[in-house]
Amino acid sequence: MNAFNKSTIFFGIPKLPARYGSLVMPLLLSILMTCIVSLISTFNGIGLTPDFASKWLRAWGVSWLVAFPVLLLALPVVRKATAALVHTY
């Protein structure tokens, strides 16, 4: 594998520098978590109706808009709490 392939993700898109990891991780986590939780919540609330997809996408968008900034603010606190509770070897 050549160096170009190692520095790209998909379809030739270059990887971001490591300094963006503290933003990319909460971004991906918030997308995944809000997707799953809003899907289950919407399905539980209205069932599989004809307008399910539009209602779910609206719920997902709103929940992501809240979750991403909350994750950015909460992760430093959670990391400190985890470090206080877990041994480091």
Side-chain angles (χ1 to χ4, degrees):
M1 194 177 257
N2 63 31
F4 177 75
N5 289 340
K6 290 181 182 179
S7 65
T8 61
I9 302 172
F10 297 108
F11 306 111
I13 299 171
K15 286 186 177 183
L16 294 171
R19 67 179 179 269
Y20 293 107
S22 63
L23 291 174
V24 172
M25 194 274 298
L27 173 69
L28 296 176
L29 182 61
S30 66
I31 289 170
L32 180 64
M33 290 300 297
T34 57
C35 174
I36 294 167
V37 171
S38 64
L39 178 75
I40 293 168
S41 180
T42 304
F43 182 77
N44 190 38
I46 65 169
L48 198 54
T49 62
D51 59 345
F52 175 81
S54 65
K55 290 188 182 281
W56 167 56
L57 289 173
R58 178 173 289 139
W60 185 15
V62 171
S63 62
W64 181 82
L65 284 173
V66 172
F68 183 57
V70 167
L71 270 173
L72 290 176
L73 295 172
L75 272 175
V77 175
V78 171
R79 284 187 182 115
K80 287 180 184 178
T82 302
L85 296 169
V86 176
H87 282 288
T88 57
Y89 295 99

